[in-house]
Amino acid sequence: MGQRKNSVRVDLNLNIRGLKKSATLAINEKSRALQQAGKKIYRLGFGQSPFPVPEPVVQALRENAHQKDYLAVKGLLPLREAIAETYKRRQQLSVDPEDVLIGPGSKELLFLLQLVYYGDLVIPTPSWVSYAPQALIVGRRVNWVKTHQENDWRLTPEEIAALCEQDPERPRIVILNYPSNPTGATYTVERLKKIAEVARKYKLILLADEIYGELHHSGQHVSIARFYPEGTIVSSGLSKWCGAGGWRLGFFVFPESLRWLLDAMAVVASETFTSTSAPIQYAAVAAFQQNPMLEDYLSKSRRILKFIGKAIHSQLEAFDVKAPKPQGGFYLFPNFEAYREKLSQRGIHDASQLCDRMLDEIGVALLPSYDFGRPSTELTARLSYVDFDGARALEVLDKEYADKELDQRFLDLCCSDMMNATMLMRDWLTN
Ligand code: PMP
Ligand code: GLU
């Protein structure tokens, strides 16, 4: 018998046709498959925390494995209270627990926001890979705002104002993600205040994606909600600072003036995912309670990321690959433009070819900047410096570096593979 013919008409929604699996998840799966096939792969493509979930939070999950009931759509009240408290304590924001919405990852909440709010999406190029595809799926217009390398690829208040001036009454959501995925750069308080002024003038919804906020390398993250409280929604979750990407827990913190928007998102949530996993929500309460163990975990994670980020950044610069200085999170955004001539002799003319060939020839996985909205011919890419054993790095830090500056030996002990990857890149580029 021949193959049975598909009896269902091929009729994908227009907005979905042509979309591919999200670039971050695709590189993760590809790197893993190559590794399983026995190839040595340096996994600098996917952005996942290298650190284990802190013990008090894991313990809380153990204790709550029996929680089996569906929870309230907006989330577990003690968790929303704990998050509201955290924002009061850390960012001096007055947050009512009623203005906190829990979801299965902040990614899902970002999607719901775009679904329920009728407005254009405004994002800088480069931006995290999923904002624009989400907008396209729900049929929103995307405005990519130009940025410049000299300004570390950050949004400027002037560029946002110029865009808004073209049609001042248009509803818009501006996403400000800092510390940034993919650049690792952040914003000064002065710059945040100026962006807040523009947002107020044009009545923008500001979505502050602060998921890497706790991983500001000096622990000095400032939420823009302080300067534009009436129009800022803060987005965050457990995925990055708490090492729990796979737990799928994110949240939005709304101002009271936008409670109608939270309520609208909750209606859609109630018709789709219902509520976020109960054991995970109970465990997450522990992640937002004041606890010296968590403070310690965070300050160590920051110290390690800061040191490694700086080390790789200076190695890259030593062979003429420029990137913004890392200030938070775990990404670098290297520019290989200095090698354009050499690369083009090898048939490499854009970032996708560059990343494909590096993966094939030296096993180094990066993500091309095209996936972050940069022009396809630009030779920039994202490097996630997370391919090391975070548990071991924390242990070495504790045992040997409690009162000592981190040094080359620490890199040799904890992330020699990743440092080798940078050297392999250098040799591959220069030879
Ligand atoms: N925003 C940014 C900038 C991210 O890098 C990620 C990646 N996880 C997310 C949002 C979504 O995170 P999650 O859904 O795990 O909360
Ligand atoms: N945010 C991570 C990244 O940028 C991966 C997770 C995801 O994209 O959902 O690599």
Side-chain angles (χ1 to χ4, degrees):
M1 246 181 34
Q3 243 190 341
R4 261 173 76 185
K5 266 201 146 177
N6 192 346
S7 56
V8 177
R9 208 171 333 164
V10 178
D11 213 359
L12 270 181
N13 180 322
L14 254 183
N15 293 356
I16 314 294
R17 281 183 213 163
L19 282 184
K20 288 191 288 194
K21 187 190 289 172
S22 189
T24 50
L25 305 178
I27 191 73
N28 189 33
E29 289 168 26
K30 185 171 178 187
S31 304
R32 194 167 281 157
L34 286 168
Q35 229 170 12
Q36 278 165 0
K39 205 168 166 200
K40 173 77 188 160
I41 299 296
Y42 302 89
R43 295 179 55 182
L44 314 182
F46 190 54
Q48 153 161 288
S49 165
F51 300 110
V53 180
E55 186 47 34
V57 185
V58 174
Q59 182 57 24
L61 182 59
R62 278 191 205 101
E63 287 163 10
N64 283 286
H66 65 282
Q67 301 288 357
K68 61 172 211 29
D69 290 343
Y70 291 108
L71 296 179
V73 177
K74 291 182 185 177
L76 182 72
L77 187 58
L79 175 58
R80 295 157 73 205
E81 285 169 346
I83 292 171
E85 266 310 306
T86 302
Y87 275 81
K88 266 182 218 157
R89 194 171 65 241
R90 287 224 200 273
Q91 298 291 338
Q92 294 91 52
L93 291 171
S94 108
V95 178
D96 186 323
E98 284 309 310
D99 293 318
V100 178
L101 176 64
I102 310 293
S106 62
K107 193 175 190 172
E108 182 65 25
L109 295 178
L110 289 161
F111 182 72
L112 287 192
L113 173 66
Q114 297 209 56
L115 183 78
V116 304
Y117 187 73
Y118 179 78
D120 293 353
L121 178 70
V122 179
I123 45 178
T125 149
S127 275
W128 177 51
V129 299
S130 290
Y131 303 137
Q134 290 189 344
L136 298 177
I137 291 169
V138 296
R140 300 279 173 259
R141 206 158 80 168
V142 180
N143 284 292
W144 289 97
V145 181
K146 262 200 303 205
T147 62
H148 305 278
Q149 180 165 12
E150 309 78 67
N151 182 34
D152 287 351
W153 313 103
R154 284 173 297 197
L155 274 178
T156 64
E158 294 79 18
E159 300 265 11
I160 306 173
L163 173 79
C164 294
E165 210 31 59
Q166 292 167 16
D167 186 353
E169 298 304 319
R170 229 182 145 80
R172 295 182 172 93
I173 299 175
V174 176
I175 301 188
L176 194 68
N177 165 229
Y178 66 102
S180 155
N181 176 2
T183 68
T186 189
Y187 289 82
T188 61
V189 165
E190 294 70 51
R191 180 60 60 89
L192 292 177
K193 285 182 178 163
K194 289 203 173 120
I195 293 176
E197 268 171 38
V198 175
R200 181 167 292 123
K201 176 168 175 196
Y202 295 100
K203 301 186 171 57
L204 303 175
I205 287 195
L206 204 54
L207 189 289
D209 185 343
E210 302 184 12
I211 195 153
Y212 298 95
E214 292 291 357
L215 294 181
H216 183 293
H217 291 168
S218 313
Q220 286 168 349
H221 179 75
V222 175
S223 176
I224 193 168
R226 288 197 201 173
F227 312 121
Y228 182 45
E230 70 275 26
T232 303
I233 303 168
V234 179
S235 173
S236 191
L238 290 189
S239 298
K240 308 301 172 183
W241 74 265
C242 197
W247 285 24
R248 310 308 302 126
L249 186 128
F251 60 84
F252 273 12
V253 177
F254 291 76
E256 198 184 340
S257 48
L258 294 182
R259 196 172 294 171
W260 55 272
L261 196 49
L262 184 160
D263 289 336
M265 285 173 62
V267 169
V268 183
S270 76
E271 301 291 13
T272 53
F273 64 79
T274 305
S275 58
T276 304
S277 158
I280 297 293
Q281 289 201 60
Y282 279 96
V285 177
F288 293 99
Q289 275 163 349
Q290 272 189 294
N291 181 338
M293 277 169 82
L294 293 179
E295 286 305 323
D296 188 53
Y297 166 89
L298 258 178
S299 74
K300 284 177 188 148
S301 309
R302 290 180 189 133
R303 219 179 132 199
I304 293 170
L305 291 174
K306 182 177 185 171
F307 189 69
I308 296 178
K310 226 169 134 185
I312 299 184
H313 182 263
S314 34
Q315 279 194 344
L316 292 171
E317 295 230 304
F319 54 93
D320 278 340
V321 173
K322 297 219 172 335
K325 281 210 178 79
Q327 296 174 297
F330 34 66
Y331 303 109
L332 287 166
F333 197 64
N335 189 336
F336 299 91
E337 213 50 56
Y339 293 89
R340 181 173 288 281
E341 188 73 32
K342 275 194 162 179
L343 290 167
S344 95
Q345 286 162 12
R346 290 151 76 176
I348 299 171
H349 309 286
D350 63 36
S352 298
Q353 292 167 343
L354 175 75
C355 294
D356 282 349
R357 292 276 293 273
M358 269 203 214
L359 184 55
D360 280 352
E361 295 173 22
I362 50 172
V364 175
L366 303 181
L367 265 189
S369 60
Y370 178 68
D371 291 325
F372 298 84
R374 296 300 304 162
S376 64
T377 51
E378 188 175 280
L379 290 175
T380 44
R382 187 189 77 177
L383 183 159
S384 315
Y385 47 95
V386 295
D387 193 7
F388 64 97
D389 180 347
R392 180 169 148 74
L394 288 169
E395 211 181 290
V396 171
L397 191 86
D398 257 343
K399 284 203 183 127
E400 304 187 33
Y401 290 92
D403 321 300
K404 206 165 86 179
E405 293 286 309
L406 294 176
D407 54 15
Q408 182 60 41
R409 193 169 152 274
F410 177 81
L411 297 175
D412 296 342
L413 281 174
C414 299
C415 49
S416 56
D417 245 18
M418 217 161 48
M419 305 318 284
N420 285 344
T422 327
M423 291 300 102
L424 281 174
M425 272 161 52
R426 181 196 59 192
D427 297 346
W428 183 82
L429 286 164
T430 50
N431 288 338

